[in-house]
Amino acid sequence: MSVNDSTELLRPQGAPEQIADRILTAIAIGILYPGDKLPPERELTTLLGVSRTTLRQAISRLAALGVLEARRGRHGGTFVRTVRPRSIESEAILRDLGPIWEQLEVTLDYRNIIQQTIARTAAQRRTESDCEKILNALAQYKQSASAAESRSADRTLHDAIAAATKNLHLAQLNKSLATAVNLGFGTHPYSTVLHDRALQQHTALVEAIVRGDVEEAGRLAEEHFLVTGTLPLRAAFSAVHDDASQEPERGH
């Protein structure tokens, strides 16, 4: 199965309710963070594979629930509210991730394997120029002070590592798999705890690549993508799945 096939399988079916669930799930997991501005309508319809009418209906539903808010003006748009009702998120996660969970696990595993290959190959093939770009990207990540800055620096860093492989296919997989495992949004789960953990892992990974330690680079990449990508998704789904399984018992 190609990455494009996988992305299609992980997309919601298109009804406004399903698109609303996808956005709610992304918020609950941290793929969309409080205060984030949603991508422009044209971009979001492409990412989610839906019509503008369907997207607008989904956003209207979430705005009515207090999850999103529209802001006017030069810097306006649709934003994730800092304070929002939590009770509706668990059901959304179950409805959204339940039908695709098995395929999402397979895609996460595939991404982790590819990222190990990227790190090892980068450690083998990096040039002095590559090392400079990777180190500059790491410095940018260290200086990031918000979710948006952290994500931008993270993308820059992993793009620089992928570019150091000198293989166009690996560089493309780096980008497309990031979108696939992050439910179409292309931004990874964020929290201050994840950011701080990723900072430690990024530093160790960059050091391994720069000194050309192939096996250590691969090992560190495996750990990094497991901790910052796979485990947050598993934890969110497992928590709501376990709660749902216990509900009948609480009813007796």
Side-chain angles (χ1 to χ4, degrees), residues 6-12 18-32 39 44 46-49 92-93 96-98 100-101 103-105 107-108 111 176-189 229 232-233 236-237:
S6 179
T7 303
E8 288 298 322
L9 285 173
L10 297 176
R11 277 180 170 175
Q18 291 171 317
I19 300 305
D21 281 347
R22 173 56 53 88
I23 295 172
L24 272 170
T25 299
I27 293 170
I29 294 171
I31 291 171
L32 293 174
L44 198 50
T46 300
L47 288 172
L48 297 176
I93 291 173
D96 185 45
L97 295 187
I100 64 170
W101 184 250
Q103 181 57 40
L104 182 56
E105 280 272 27
T107 306
L108 284 163
R111 192 274 298 267
S176 57
L177 282 169
T179 300
V181 300
N182 289 305
L183 307 180
F185 291 94
T187 53
H188 59 76
L233 281 165
F237 183 68

Side-chain angles (χ1 to χ4, degrees), residues 23 37 49 53 58 67 77 82-83 92 110 151-152 164 181 186 226 242:
I23 295 172
K37 180 180 178 180
T53 299
V67 175
T82 302
V83 178
Y110 178 42
R151 288 162 166 165
S152 176
V181 300
L226 180 66
D242 291 346

Side-chain angles (χ1 to χ4, degrees), residues 116-177:
Q116 292 173 57
T117 300
I118 288 173
R120 290 190 182 101
T121 308
Q124 286 178 320
R125 300 179 179 178
R126 81 282 182 268
T127 62
E128 186 174 333
S129 175
D130 291 323
C131 290
E132 182 178 354
K133 291 175 183 177
I134 291 170
L135 287 167
N136 286 341
L138 176 62
Q140 181 185 347
Y141 189 84
K142 288 180 178 179
Q143 294 168 5
S144 61
S146 67
E149 290 179 0
S150 173
R151 288 162 166 165
S152 176
D154 182 85
R155 284 194 296 271
T156 300
L157 175 58
H158 287 293
D159 285 350
I161 293 172
T165 67
K166 314 302 180 188
N167 186 295
L168 180 60
H169 294 295
L170 288 176
Q172 290 174 336
L173 278 172
N174 171 61
K175 293 179 180 294
S176 57
L177 282 169

